Structure formats: structure tokens, C-alpha cells
Amino acid sequence: MGRKAEFSEKPKKGPGRKSKKQKAPTFTKSTFAPLDKDDGKLSHRQKQRQAKRLQKKVVKKPKDKQPKQVYNSESEDEDVVEEEEVMSSEEEVVQNGKVKGFSDDNKAWLKPKQKKGAEPAALEEEDSDEEEVESEEGEESEDEGKVKVGKLFEEEDSDDDEVPDDNFADSDDAEGEEESEDDDSEAEEEDSDDEDDSDDEKLPIEKANKKLKKQEAEEAKLAEDEQQMSVLNQEIFKLPEDQEGEEEKPITLPEIQQRIKDVTLVLSDFKRYRQEDRSRQEYLEILKKDLCVYYSYNEFLMTKLMDMFPLTELMEYLESSEVARPLTIRTNTLKTRRKELAQALINRGVNLDPVGKWSKVGLVIYSSQVPLGATPEYLAGHYMIQGASSMLPVMALAPQENERILDMCSAPGGKSSHIASIMKNTGVLFANDANRDRIKAVTANLHRLGINNCIVSCEDGCKFREVMTGFDRVLLDAPCTGTGVVAKDPSVKQSKSDVDVQRCYNLQRKLLLTAIDCLDAKSSTGGYLVYSTCSVLPEENEWVIDYALKKRNVKLVPTGLDFGTEGFTKYRQFRFHPSLNLTRRYYPHTHNMDGFYVAKLKKFSNTIPVDNDDDLDEVENVETTVGSEEKVEEEVPETEEEAEKSRKERKKLGKRAGKPNLSEAEIEAKKKKLVDDERKYVAKVFEKPVKVVKKKPVEEKQPEKVSENGNTKKPFEGKKNKKTKTNVSETEEKKSVEPQTNGNAKKFEGKKNKNKKSLPTQKPEETKAPVVPQKPVVKPSPPKPVEKKVVTPQSNKNVKKFEGKNNKNQQQKNQNNQKSPAKTQTPDKKKPEAKQVLEKKKVEVEKLPEKVSQKIKAKMDVKKGKGKKQIGQLKQNKKKVKG
Ligand SMILES: C[S@@+](CC[C@H](N)C(=O)[O-])C[C@H]1O[C@@H](n2cnc3c(N)ncnc32)[C@H](O)[C@@H]1O
């Protein structure tokens, strides 16, 4: 078979290179017999093509009649003509009617079919190796020959430039049609050939690649269909039976994953897949549990997320929250330009890109050979390491040069420095934060970035209106639960609870009202406020804004950010103001950013609505009532423990901080009242210390004992009024300050230190009654351990935030104590009794062998909270007794 078969019989064919190289083989009639059958099965598409070719042939008839002229040319038609020539000797075969359904006009078109062995020559004229292979294949079998013919047919067609490349659209049709495998392959080949009608220039490997891709696409489609079929045919998922009393079977992670898929499927078409006796709620419950286990969330947070997102989106959100967001940096335009910075970093082996069209200063870092927090560029302040989402609030704020702007919660200064750089170091920026430790980072960053229009302060934001108002713009990047940044801090998934959310939105509301009050509605350039959080919970976002809309003369305006999802106007049973759709939400799964929320408000009047008398005492009440109206479940603590916890939280929050005022007159009145209160308080607090210190200076050294028993120190530590300083003698000041110089005590520099001076005053009052005879035991009482004890809890962030409120409560308590000394004496009477018992025990213990007694005493002292020094004293006493 093939060209070798009847090589000698064949007359020389045309002058084309192909024919020179190798001659077309001769085919017997039998070789074509099967082909004819196939022709009868031509697909619709093939028929269409044939029809087109037929038309063209008709047009080209004159050419056919003068083949010789064409023969001599090197035109594109050469091959076609060549084929015609090849076929001329075998015309019988074709004309014997084996190719059905074609007129004589199609002869020329049909010729290629017979050019089985010629195919390789036609196609691969320059590739002699391939020619050989093809020819060998041609010899193998008749069947293969069939295929070859088919291929040739296709390839010839495609080579024929007269055939328009109409196959792009056809390729899909071909898939849809029921064709034999051969037909399919033909179609593929045709498609690929036609797609590259320019194809002649393509390498065979490229062609093969195209074919492969098509095959893959088809396989993928088949697989998909198969999957769908199997889904339809599969057993309907059944919820596990309630097995009361029985232990739950352990379930593996892959099983959970599978169950998540199954339940999701059921919920996607509940009517169809549900079990008759099971409710949607039951499915949701089991899904929630599985998701909690699979993604390591607590049920509280998972419930919130399930409330927020539709099921499919929820899965996307959870998945993308598992992946850390790309590291981004912001160019400090005060010192360099993004292009220059990028170049400098690239030179250091950093692989980066612009963060997106929306920012002119952001760069996303894919990889780096150097630590980005220590490059010379970083140290020189050319950039700030900052999440992409952190740039959004400042962009929304749109600071202007020469404005007066407040960043109410600024630490560690990412957004502050961004604002300052947009202001080009003009105007004044106030960077405030309540956390004294974090504020250091603000100062450091501002220095590094070369910012010199900024005043850094450390005040409770809720009270900032008492510090300063009249700002052109305010940024409130509020403290929050951080539910949007679980990829950064996965502990959030487990640690956040209802109470945390409540605490956050209470604080956020207070801060927001204060921030609005700090704004000047009459500002010629601004009067704008931007509120942002890195939480995705509506309670901390839309709900807070909605509250402010009701309480102040503000309205929502567009953020100016051209991407982001609209804020919620509906969420569960809540209905927020419709303008909340102007706010923007950002999610990891949609924006490849941390979860974030941005709202922009415009203050349109400086007056505060009268009916909104939100003395912040009431703010909490309002919250509770609002919450109880709309959100009963979440406000009511479920267990006793929770109730206790929330009570404690509320205590921490205090009730008196940051009172907003109703009118200017009232502002004045309330300020006066506050000042008066403080004065009264100051006077009362410092009356006694002075007296007592003079009378019983020795007993000042007994604070430890007092604090151990009654913790009476605490109230005084909270008092921070600077005026106290003047009332205390220098010696006392030293005594009280010294112990604070260690560790945490540093945090209480300033106001608190001054207050410490008042400590001795109350100590004597309480130590007046010590009946315990063993004075030496009590005498040395070093203040350090006591100070530590008291200081540690105050170093806690939350406590710090609410120092002010606590102070006031404490002040009142102190006042009450002072007014009714009987109250304070009552516990004192009991305390000595207890001490007596202890001392008796100590004496008994002393009688024991020395080693044992020492140990026991040490333990007893530890229990009492005394330091090691006391053990030493005990030993001394013992020696004395022995002596
Ligand atoms: C989300 S962070 C601010 C991040 C900052 N805007 C930035 O871009 O770098 C929230 C900040 O609010 C501060 N904060 C918490 N309670 C506050 C209060 N009552 N007054 C002022 N700041 C407070 C926290 O110390 C924390 O630094």
C-alpha cells in the first residue's frame, strides 16, 4: 500500500516540489470502498462545507478546464490542481458512484479524498521525515487509510484558501452533533486547520498543541456532563439521625468537607433534595457546625457570617479568608515618587507591581529578597507598609492642603501619615490615640516619614470635644473586632463573642458622636467625616452610622471610591437608612483585600438635635432599648456567666465619659459642672492625706497591709487630676512615684503618678485600727508588690481607654467613703481579726522544726500576697523570740 505499492506504475505528476519529492501512491478501488460509505454519513457541517466548495468550484470552473496553466504556477492553488492531476488517473474510482450525492462539478473537490498517499506530501512538503512516517502509516491498513483520506480531505480543504474560515462558529456545532469518532477527529482537525488558515506558517508542534487543547476542552465538558449526571443520579443526602444518649461518632475532616458539599447542594434546591421530615433550619444547623469545625470559627461568628452572606458567597468568603492578602506598601510622596521607589526596590530584588488603578501610591509586593521593614528606602521614610484597604479611608476623606484635620484613633499612624502627605505638610493634623504605648509608634512613623505638620496627642477619643473642635475633616478609623482581618489574625475566628461586639459598637458610637461634634459644619472646604473599621459586621458599621444619622445633623455622601460593595440597608430584621448604600464594603473574596468598611458623612449643622439628649449615660440605655427592639436575642445574655461578664464590661465602660451637650449654653453649663465636680473631688481627696501624713508618717509604710486586705488603693489610682500635684509634698511624691518606675507602672506616668500621691492619705485611715500586735511583721511592707498588683490591670488596654469613666466612679466612691467613715471602718474591724488568727498560726508554726516552719510561713506569706522580704522579717522575729 501507500506510495511504494504502485510506484512504478504511476506516471509523473505535476512539477510541484511535493511531487518531485515523492510521488502520490495509487489506490485500488477497494481502498476507497469504506470511504464512500463514510461519505454517505457526512455531517451537517461537512455537507455545508462541501456545498460552499461546490459553489466556489462553479465559479472557478474555467480554471479547472485549463489545468495546465495553473500547473505551471506556484500559486496557492497549486496543491488543488496537483490533486486534480493525481486523481485524474483514478477518476474511475470516483466516478463509479462510490461518492454519493455529489455532482460532477464536485469531482475536483472530491479528488483530494483519493489522494490518500499524497497527503503527507501535500501537508508536509518540507518535512521529509514526517513524509516517511505518513507513508508507512499509509501502508499499515485500509482502515488507517480511511482515516488518512479523511484527514487529507480536511487538510486539503483547509489549505484551500478559497474556503472561508467559517469554522470558529462551527467548532461548537461539531461538538453538538452526533458523529462518529472519526468525524469528531475530523472536525477537530478541520477546526484547528481553519483557525490557522494562517496556519501554514505554524509549526506542527503548535498545531498539535491546539488539537490537544481542544481535546482537553472536550474532555472537560464531558466530565462536567458526567458529573451533573451523577449528581442527578446520586442518592439524596440524608441528615444524620438524632441519636439521643449515644455518643456521636467521630468524623474526619474529609467527611466534614463532603457533608458541607452535600448540605450546600440540598440547600441550593431545597424542595428537590430535602428529606421530607427535615426542616431547612436543621440543615443550616448542621452546616454551621461543620463550617465551624472545618474553618475553625466559633459558632457566634459563623452565625453572623451566615446571616450576612448567601451560601455560595459565604463559602468564597471563608475560603479566601484562609489566605493571607498580598503585602502592600504606600509611597510617601513627601519624599519620593512611586516609580522611583519601585525602581529602587526592584534593584534590591523586590518583585512588585502597582496595587491597582485606584491608587497612585500603592505597590503590591509579590516577593522580596530583603526584609521590607529594613531597607534603606524604608528607613529613609520613602514608604509605609500598609494594607491596601487602609488606603481607602484616607482617599475617601480627601484631605486638602492647609486644612485642620483630626485623626481620632491614629496609632500606629498609617493613615495619619497618608493624610499628612496628601496635605503636603501644610495645615495641621492632629493624630490622637488613647493608647499611650501605641502612640509612640505614631511619633516614630511620622518622624521617619518626614511629617512636620502633625500634633500627636493621647486622649480618650470620646472626650476629644473637650480638647478641641472646629476641624475641617475628621477621620475615625475606629477600634473594632477585626473580623475583616482573620487572615492576618486567625485568633479572631475563635475569640470574638457577643460581648466583644457589643463593647465595640458602644465605643464606636460614642467615638462617632464625638468625632461629629469635633467637626465644623461651616468649614469652607470640608465638614466631612470618614468612619472606617476593619470589621465586616453590620453591628459595627451600618448600625453605628445609622445611629449617628439619627443623633446628629449629618448625612451620608458618596465615598468617592469607585469600587466596593454597597453597604447594607437591610440586614436580618434591621432596616437602615436607605442612604447607607452610599457606604462601601470590601471583602477578601471580591476585592482581594482585608474585610473593610468605609462611610463618609457631611455635617450640615453645628447644632445638636434637642430631642437627642444623648448624655452618654443614656447612650447605653438607648443602645439597649434599640437593641431590644430590634435585636432582642443578641442583647440578652444567655447564661449567668455571660451576664456577669457583660456587667463587668459595662463597669469598665463606665457611664460618665464624653458627655455630649445639647446646646452651646448647655455645653458651658456642663463644662462648668464638670470642672466644679473635679475641684470638689480634688479637695476631698487631698484633705486627708495631708493631715494623716503629718500625724502618722510611720504608718504610711503600711499600705501593703491595707491593700492586701481591703484593696482600698484602687480608687485613688484612678484619680488623675493634675491639680493633685500641688497638694502633695515633694517627699510624698517621691515615695509614691518610685514604685511606679518599674514595668507597667510607666504607663501611668503623668496624671496617674500625681494621683499616687494621695495614696498615703487613705492608708493611715485604714491602718488606724490594726489590732494585730506583731507590728514588725507588718512594718517593712515594701510597696512594690502592691503597686504591681494594682498597676497591672490598669495597663490593660480596655481599662486604659476608660480610665476617665472609672475615675469618676471611683471619685464618687471615695467621696462616699470619706463622708461616711463608718462604712470604711467596718471592714477594717474584721481585717485585724483575720490577721490575728494568722499571726497565732505563725506562732504555732514557729514551734515546729525550723525548716518546716520556714516553709509553711513562706507559703502563708505567699498566700497573703506578701513579698519575700516578709519571710526575712519572720526569720528575724523568730531569732528575736529565741533570743
Ligand atoms: C484600628 S486602630 C487605628 C489604626 C490607625 N488609624 C492606622 O491607620 O494606623 C484603632 C485605634 O483606636 C485606638 N483607640 C481605642 N479606643 C480609643 C479611644 N477611646 N480613643 C481614642 N483611640 C482609641 C486604639 O488604641 C487603636 O490604636
Side-chain angles (χ1 to χ4, degrees):
M1 299 286 276
R3 67 172 184 243
K4 284 176 190 171
E6 294 168 340
F7 188 74
S8 57
E9 295 165 26
K10 285 296 296 175
K12 278 198 171 182
K13 294 295 167 186
R17 280 180 296 159
K18 291 171 197 169
S19 52
K20 279 175 194 166
K21 266 181 167 181
Q22 61 169 65
K23 285 152 194 172
T26 312
F27 302 100
T28 57
K29 286 178 187 176
S30 60
T31 314
F32 284 93
L35 172 69
D36 294 339
K37 283 174 200 168
D38 280 353
D39 284 344
K41 294 176 190 172
L42 282 177
S43 71
H44 173 68
R45 229 174 87 239
Q46 286 171 327
K47 283 175 191 167
Q48 277 183 333
R49 273 191 223 109
Q50 282 170 350
K52 278 181 190 171
R53 285 176 199 128
L54 175 65
Q55 283 171 2
K56 281 169 193 165
K57 278 285 160 191
V58 171
V59 175
K60 283 192 171 183
K61 248 185 176 177
K63 269 188 185 176
D64 294 338
K65 284 175 184 173
Q66 301 161 345
K68 278 177 189 172
Q69 289 171 12
V70 181
Y71 230 116
N72 296 327
S73 76
E74 292 283 328
S75 74
E76 289 171 353
D77 292 334
E78 184 187 325
D79 289 342
V80 178
V81 177
E82 200 179 333
E83 286 150 19
E84 285 169 17
E85 285 298 306
V86 172
M87 291 307 297
S88 62
S89 61
E90 297 126 20
E91 240 167 57
E92 298 170 36
V93 178
V94 180
Q95 283 169 355
N96 278 345
K98 301 206 171 167
V99 179
K100 292 170 191 171
F102 296 106
S103 68
D104 285 345
D105 294 333
N106 288 324
K107 278 180 195 170
W109 180 84
L110 287 167
K111 278 173 192 169
K113 281 185 188 173
Q114 298 158 8
K115 198 181 167 185
K116 276 185 194 173
E119 177 214 358
L123 273 179
E124 293 147 23
E125 30 183 275
E126 287 170 14
D127 194 340
S128 58
D129 291 346
E130 282 184 35
E131 276 171 16
E132 280 171 28
V133 173
E134 298 267 356
S135 63
E136 278 162 23
E137 279 170 5
E139 288 171 356
E140 276 170 27
S141 69
E142 280 189 9
D143 287 343
E144 277 184 34
K146 247 195 279 176
V147 176
K148 284 273 170 191
V149 170
K151 276 187 184 175
L152 174 64
F153 163 79
E154 302 293 350
E155 284 161 1
E156 290 286 343
D157 278 353
S158 66
D159 285 343
D160 186 2
D161 280 350
E162 290 166 14
V163 180
D165 61 348
D166 53 349
N167 293 307
F168 288 100
D170 287 353
S171 64
D172 290 339
D173 298 349
E175 282 168 7
E177 281 169 19
E178 284 183 18
E179 289 178 352
S180 67
E181 274 185 21
D182 286 352
D183 282 348
D184 277 345
S185 67
E186 276 174 20
E188 278 168 24
E189 283 160 25
E190 262 185 317
D191 289 342
S192 68
D193 287 342
D194 289 342
E195 270 170 30
D196 348 325
D197 259 341
S198 47
D199 267 7
D200 296 343
E201 292 140 33
K202 291 213 169 179
L203 293 171
I205 195 164
E206 287 176 311
K207 288 178 185 172
N209 184 36
K210 279 209 160 185
K211 281 178 196 173
L212 206 66
K213 276 184 185 169
K214 289 215 163 175
Q215 269 176 10
E216 278 173 7
E218 273 199 2
E219 275 166 23
K221 213 192 164 200
L222 275 174
E224 201 179 296
D225 291 345
E226 221 170 87
Q227 200 182 356
Q228 276 183 354
M229 286 298 288
S230 65
V231 165
L232 292 175
N233 297 335
Q234 80 180 13
E235 271 185 35
I236 292 173
F237 168 74
K238 285 187 179 174
L239 280 175
E241 294 295 324
D242 286 338
Q243 295 165 330
E244 281 176 20
E246 283 182 38
E247 275 184 27
E248 268 187 36
K249 284 178 191 169
I251 181 165
T252 63
L253 221 54
E255 282 171 339
I256 290 179
Q257 194 187 15
Q258 186 55 46
R259 196 158 70 182
I260 290 172
K261 279 182 193 166
D262 290 339
V263 177
T264 314
L265 180 74
V266 174
L267 289 169
S268 69
D269 193 348
F270 193 61
K271 272 186 190 170
R272 185 170 174 184
Y273 297 119
R274 66 177 292 192
Q275 268 174 271
E276 280 304 309
D277 54 336
R278 297 304 186 106
S279 68
R280 194 180 183 88
Q281 196 53 36
E282 283 176 280
Y283 282 96
L284 283 171
E285 276 304 315
I286 202 150
L287 179 66
K288 193 201 298 174
K289 275 183 189 162
D290 286 347
L291 288 175
C292 284
V293 176
Y294 194 73
Y295 292 102
S296 309
Y297 280 76
N298 64 15
E299 274 203 28
F300 164 75
L301 196 50
M302 189 53 78
T303 314
K304 292 273 170 208
L305 295 175
M306 286 176 83
D307 287 340
M308 277 174 58
F309 295 112
L311 219 61
T312 42
E313 203 182 345
L314 173 72
M315 303 304 288
E316 284 171 24
Y317 175 83
L318 292 173
E319 273 299 324
S320 55
S321 294
E322 295 298 296
V323 187
R325 303 271 75 76
L327 178 69
T328 47
I329 60 175
R330 177 181 54 78
T331 315
N332 178 19
T333 48
L334 290 174
K335 292 206 171 185
T336 186
R337 286 192 294 177
R338 183 165 75 171
K339 214 174 173 184
E340 287 161 14
L341 173 66
Q343 194 53 58
L345 291 176
I346 287 168
N347 292 344
R348 295 193 187 285
V350 180
N351 184 9
L352 48 75
D353 252 341
V355 75
K357 281 182 184 171
W358 55 271
S359 167
K360 289 179 182 168
V361 290
L363 287 168
V364 58
I365 310 292
Y366 301 120
S367 64
S368 171
Q369 291 171 12
V370 285
L372 279 167
T375 62
E377 286 76 20
Y378 177 82
L379 298 172
H382 288 194
Y383 63 90
M384 180 86 184
I385 299 172
Q386 206 177 10
S389 53
S390 289
M391 299 172 203
L392 301 172
V394 179
M395 289 168 68
L397 189 69
Q400 308 291 309
E401 285 173 43
N402 295 310
E403 281 187 334
R404 194 157 65 153
I405 298 181
L406 168 65
D407 183 356
M408 198 176 240
C409 303
S410 65
K415 294 179 191 78
S416 284
S417 55
H418 193 181
I419 295 171
S421 66
I422 295 175
M423 292 169 82
K424 296 186 181 156
N425 259 339
T426 64
V428 190
L429 169 66
F430 288 78
N432 177 67
D433 199 283
N435 187 318
R436 199 170 285 275
D437 284 339
R438 285 170 66 88
I439 209 79
K440 287 174 193 164
V442 180
T443 321
N445 276 321
L446 296 180
H447 272 302
R448 185 176 58 81
L449 296 162
I451 286 154
N452 55 28
N453 66 339
C454 189
I455 294 169
V456 179
S457 64
C458 183
E459 295 288 337
D460 178 356
C462 300
K463 293 179 176 177
F464 208 87
R465 68 164 71 74
E466 289 159 25
V467 178
M468 199 174 216
T469 58
F471 289 94
D472 295 309
R473 286 166 210 261
V474 178
L475 173 66
L476 174 55
D477 185 30
C480 64
T481 53
T483 47
V485 288
V486 289
K488 246 188 237 165
D489 180 9
S491 69
V492 172
K493 295 196 279 188
Q494 284 289 343
S495 62
K496 297 300 167 189
S497 68
D498 212 356
V499 175
D500 294 309
V501 178
Q502 274 185 39
R503 191 179 56 190
C504 278
Y505 67 66
N506 280 337
L507 179 58
Q508 286 156 353
R509 286 173 175 198
K510 283 174 195 167
L511 287 168
L512 182 53
L513 292 191
T514 313
I516 294 170
D517 293 344
C518 289
L519 260 183
D520 180 14
K522 289 174 187 163
S523 159
S524 58
T525 56
Y528 292 104
L529 180 144
V530 168
Y531 173 85
S532 62
T533 69
C534 57
S535 168
V536 291
L537 301 182
E539 285 87 341
E540 296 180 72
N541 298 323
E542 286 87 348
W543 205 29
V544 175
I545 298 291
D546 197 55
Y547 176 78
L549 291 176
K550 290 173 193 161
K551 294 286 170 188
R552 291 292 186 270
N553 285 322
V554 286
K555 62 176 182 185
L556 276 164
V557 292
T559 56
L561 303 166
D562 53 9
F563 68 109
T565 315
E566 283 184 6
F568 294 135
T569 49
K570 292 175 189 174
Y571 165 65
R572 295 178 61 204
Q573 68 273 43
F574 301 105
R575 294 294 174 270
F576 304 125
H577 192 276
S579 64
L580 270 146
N581 64 359
L582 293 173
T583 65
R584 287 287 172 267
R585 294 183 146 260
Y586 298 89
Y587 299 123
H589 65 291
T590 45
H591 307 102
N592 197 17
M593 286 180 182
D594 293 325
F596 218 81
Y597 178 77
V598 181
K600 186 170 181 177
L601 293 161
K602 164 99 178 132
K603 186 171 178 181
F604 54 84
S605 165
N606 280 334
T607 56
I608 296 168
V610 178
D611 54 333
N612 289 327
D613 183 3
D614 42 6
D615 180 319
L616 288 189
D617 269 352
E618 286 167 35
V619 169
E620 280 195 2
N621 298 334
V622 173
E623 285 156 7
T624 346
T625 46
V626 171
S628 56
E629 274 169 19
E630 304 171 0
K631 209 182 154 221
V632 183
E633 294 166 23
E634 283 164 32
E635 291 292 332
V636 180
E638 281 175 16
T639 62
E640 262 301 304
E641 260 182 21
E642 273 180 25
E644 183 57 31
K645 209 177 170 188
S646 95
R647 243 175 270 138
K648 276 181 191 167
E649 291 303 335
R650 278 170 191 281
K651 255 190 181 177
K652 274 187 195 171
L653 284 169
K655 291 202 164 190
R656 294 254 162 216
K659 286 183 184 179
N661 304 294
L662 303 175
S663 64
E664 283 182 5
E666 278 175 311
I667 289 172
E668 286 306 314
K670 287 196 175 182
K671 272 184 185 171
K672 272 185 187 174
K673 205 184 158 193
L674 269 172
V675 173
D676 286 350
D677 285 348
E678 279 174 358
R679 275 186 194 145
K680 277 178 210 164
Y681 157 72
V682 172
K684 278 171 191 169
V685 169
F686 289 99
E687 258 173 304
K688 284 182 183 174
V690 179
K691 282 179 197 169
V692 177
V693 169
K694 280 177 187 171
K695 281 179 187 173
K696 294 186 175 182
V698 185
E699 285 183 348
E700 281 173 38
K701 290 179 182 178
Q702 298 173 349
E704 185 186 327
K705 195 180 175 187
V706 176
S707 63
E708 274 169 30
N709 298 321
N711 291 329
T712 49
K713 265 184 173 181
K714 274 195 173 176
F716 292 92
E717 284 171 355
K719 293 163 195 167
K720 297 190 282 184
N721 200 308
K722 288 176 186 171
K723 289 163 194 170
T724 56
K725 204 173 186 178
T726 52
N727 291 339
V728 185
S729 68
E730 272 185 38
T731 46
E732 284 170 63
E733 187 172 345
K734 276 180 192 169
K735 279 174 196 171
S736 59
V737 171
E738 268 170 12
Q740 289 188 338
T741 52
N742 68 46
N744 295 330
K746 275 186 182 173
K747 294 169 193 170
F748 297 88
E749 297 157 352
K751 290 177 181 178
K752 281 183 186 173
N753 284 348
K754 290 158 202 166
N755 298 329
K756 294 270 175 190
K757 292 157 200 165
S758 65
L759 280 173
T761 59
Q762 216 180 23
K763 284 164 205 164
E765 192 189 348
E766 292 180 335
T767 49
K768 269 177 195 172
V771 192
V772 189
Q774 293 97 333
K775 270 192 178 177
V777 180
V778 184
K779 226 181 185 178
S781 60
K784 271 189 180 177
V786 181
E787 292 299 335
K788 271 184 186 174
K789 262 189 175 180
V790 179
V791 167
T792 316
Q794 284 201 346
S795 66
N796 178 308
K797 271 186 202 170
N798 297 329
V799 177
K800 252 195 158 182
K801 288 174 202 165
F802 305 108
E803 280 163 358
K805 299 161 197 172
N806 290 338
N807 287 346
K808 285 178 184 174
N809 294 334
Q810 286 160 3
Q811 286 166 14
Q812 277 193 334
K813 278 181 197 170
N814 293 334
Q815 285 169 15
N816 292 338
N817 288 346
Q818 286 156 9
K819 280 174 194 170
S820 54
K823 274 185 186 175
T824 52
Q825 281 170 9
T826 335
D828 286 344
K829 281 177 187 174
K830 287 177 187 174
K831 285 165 202 165
E833 284 169 23
K835 281 169 200 164
Q836 276 177 341
V837 176
L838 271 174
E839 294 307 329
K840 272 181 192 174
K841 279 187 180 175
K842 270 181 189 168
V843 175
E844 284 167 20
V845 167
E846 275 164 12
K847 289 172 191 170
L848 294 168
E850 204 180 351
K851 277 186 184 175
V852 181
S853 72
Q854 273 179 5
K855 275 187 185 174
I856 296 172
K857 271 186 274 175
K859 276 184 186 173
M860 285 165 71
D861 284 345
V862 170
K863 273 185 191 171
K864 282 166 71 180
K866 289 180 183 174
K868 285 179 183 174
K869 282 186 183 178
Q870 281 189 328
I871 298 171
Q873 287 162 13
L874 279 170
K875 282 178 187 172
Q876 280 179 355
N877 291 343
K878 201 175 155 189
K879 280 175 191 171
K880 279 179 195 171
V881 172
K882 278 181 185 174

